[in-house]
Amino acid sequence: KRGIDKLVLANDSTIRRMKSLDRKGMLEDLERAMARDSIDWHWQPKVDMSSGRVLGFEVLVRWRHPGDQPVPADQLIDTIEQSPLLEPFTTHCLNKVLGQFARIQDRIDGASISINISARMLERSNFVDNLHEVIARHHVDPERVTLELTETALIANPAQAQRVIERLRERGIRLSIDDFGSGFTSFGYLREFAISEIKIDRSFITRFTESRFDQSLVNSLVVLCESLGIGLVAEGVETPEVQQMLTSLGCNAGQGYGICRPMPYEDVLGWMAQRGG
Ligand code: C2E
Ligand code: CA
Ligand code: CA
Ligand code: CA
């Protein structure tokens, strides 16, 4: 009987309150996890699919909520973005992954590191200076650091984005447009902004072999990027067929489960050695 009362009482506002309590608890746990250094980043290789050369690694956050399942990365980032932890989390991430990169940078064939950055970090006036300070402190070559930003970040506030991109460029730090094509893509900014790379959204790549539209899109992007001097990367490459078709269209850089799943940092050097690199 009491169970039923509880059920009836769990109306919308109760559920909302529970969810916000959940979030608060999660943020407190997250803060502790940063202090204890128990948040990890997994490394997923980006390779030249025609030669097999490793071009870089994208770092992806992994966190297991104490006594619980791992929290999906996009859900975790969503929560962080709406909280005061965004800046400390970003600083923590940069410190940790650039420190890790520094330790192996001489043994990974010149490969670079790609770090996802929340759009809202562009609003912080000291972001680029802080980033550069971390890069310099770890003696990392800025040209081997790429930031991945989604296009919504650039379109939402182009003037601000322009300023940040300019300062990144002065420092030699590269910029990649993530999830390209998934939003209301505007091609204008490819001309306006100093962009090094675009990553075609996974949704265009996973069913690539069956979709004429997706093939034409990739084909056009290959031509466009070549003429603009922008790197093109396919993400979500899951099968050899997709890999083969992408390279035959001239899209050589790829990332995905079919090439390699994201792996713990500790496995990166072993993985490099095992491919004979
Ligand atoms: P994203 O930047 O688009 O990252 C690629 C996501 O696709 C990753 O999911 C990766 O594990 C997954 N993936 C890689 N290859 C394949 C494939 O072949 N097939 C499929 N189905 N998926 C593949 P993950 O790690 O869950 O990350 C989700 C999102 O969370 C990322 O999307 C990124 O937007 C965000 N994120 C992850 N780590 C960070 C971080 O440290 N900082 C920030 N700001 N965002 C992060
Ligand atoms: Ca990314
Ligand atoms: Ca992406
Ligand atoms: Ca994404």
Side-chain angles (χ1 to χ4, degrees), residues 1 4 90 109 112 154 172 234 244 248 255 273:
K1 170 98 182 29
I4 291 171
T90 306
D109 271 354
S112 60
L154 308 186
Q244 209 268 316
S248 75
Q255 193 181 328

Side-chain angles (χ1 to χ4, degrees), residues 11-273:
N11 57 20
D12 276 2
S13 82
T14 317
I15 289 168
R16 259 201 305 280
R17 204 162 54 238
M18 278 165 59
K19 278 192 177 151
S20 81
L21 274 176
D22 251 27
R23 177 170 308 151
K24 194 158 163 276
M26 176 157 144
L27 290 171
E28 282 164 6
D29 292 337
L30 191 72
E31 225 171 343
R32 266 192 294 276
M34 284 196 271
R36 276 199 228 113
D37 194 19
S38 63
I39 304 171
D40 292 311
W41 274 263
H42 279 199
W43 294 46
Q44 187 179 36
K46 171 178 80 181
V47 308
D48 180 331
M49 297 179 288
S50 65
S51 68
R53 210 186 131 217
V54 181
L55 305 170
F57 293 90
E58 176 179 10
V59 290
L60 296 156
V61 70
R62 294 292 178 264
W63 183 50
R64 183 181 286 276
H65 192 243
D68 212 344
Q69 299 289 317
V71 184
D74 43 5
Q75 226 165 287
L76 176 63
I77 295 300
D78 253 20
T79 307
I80 292 171
E81 280 177 348
Q82 298 169 43
S83 83
L85 283 189
L86 177 62
E87 189 153 2
F89 173 82
T90 306
T91 306
H92 178 82
C93 164
L94 293 173
N95 256 310
K96 177 149 179 170
V97 300
L98 286 166
Q100 292 180 322
F101 183 76
R103 273 179 264 136
I104 60 171
Q105 60 182 340
D106 297 333
R107 289 178 283 170
I108 51 175
D109 271 354
S112 60
I113 180 170
S114 292
I115 308 169
N116 293 287
I117 295 291
S118 298
R120 287 202 31 223
M121 283 309 292
L122 301 191
E123 297 160 14
R124 315 293 162 105
S125 56
N126 53 358
F127 171 66
V128 179
D129 290 336
N130 290 349
L131 168 65
H132 188 261
E133 189 271 319
V134 180
I135 290 175
R137 180 152 39 84
H138 290 292
H139 307 289
V140 166
D141 176 1
E143 305 214 338
R144 285 176 74 182
V145 178
T146 299
L147 300 188
E148 296 196 1
L149 276 164
T150 57
E151 53 193 350
T152 41
L154 308 186
I155 295 168
N157 192 341
Q160 173 189 279
Q162 179 77 282
R163 277 195 298 277
V164 175
I165 292 169
E166 196 45 48
R167 313 236 331 271
L168 288 172
R169 207 176 61 91
E170 285 164 12
R171 301 291 202 178
I173 301 160
R174 294 177 199 278
L175 180 66
S176 170
I177 305 302
D178 207 350
D179 301 349
F180 187 83
S182 68
F184 294 97
T185 299
S186 153
F187 286 90
Y189 67 77
L190 293 182
R191 184 186 53 208
E192 303 298 327
F193 298 158
I195 287 162
S196 303
E197 173 188 278
I198 67 181
K199 292 182 95 165
I200 314 168
D201 191 60
R202 202 166 68 209
S203 60
F204 297 103
I205 304 301
T206 34
R207 47 186 165 69
F208 184 64
T209 47
E210 297 117 62
S211 164
R212 285 292 298 275
F213 176 85
D214 295 348
Q215 291 159 26
S216 313
L217 180 89
V218 170
N219 212 353
S220 318
L221 287 176
V222 167
V223 176
L224 183 71
C225 287
E226 237 156 45
S227 77
L228 293 174
I230 296 174
L232 182 65
V233 183
E235 61 171 30
V237 177
E238 294 182 347
T239 65
E241 292 74 37
V242 169
Q243 226 179 108
Q244 209 268 316
M245 197 172 232
L246 282 167
T247 50
S248 75
L249 290 176
C251 178
N252 291 326
Q255 193 181 328
Y257 295 165
I259 299 167
C260 184
R261 294 207 167 233
M263 64 188 127
Y265 169 70
E266 290 72 26
D267 294 352
V268 171
L269 286 181
W271 180 82
M272 289 289 301

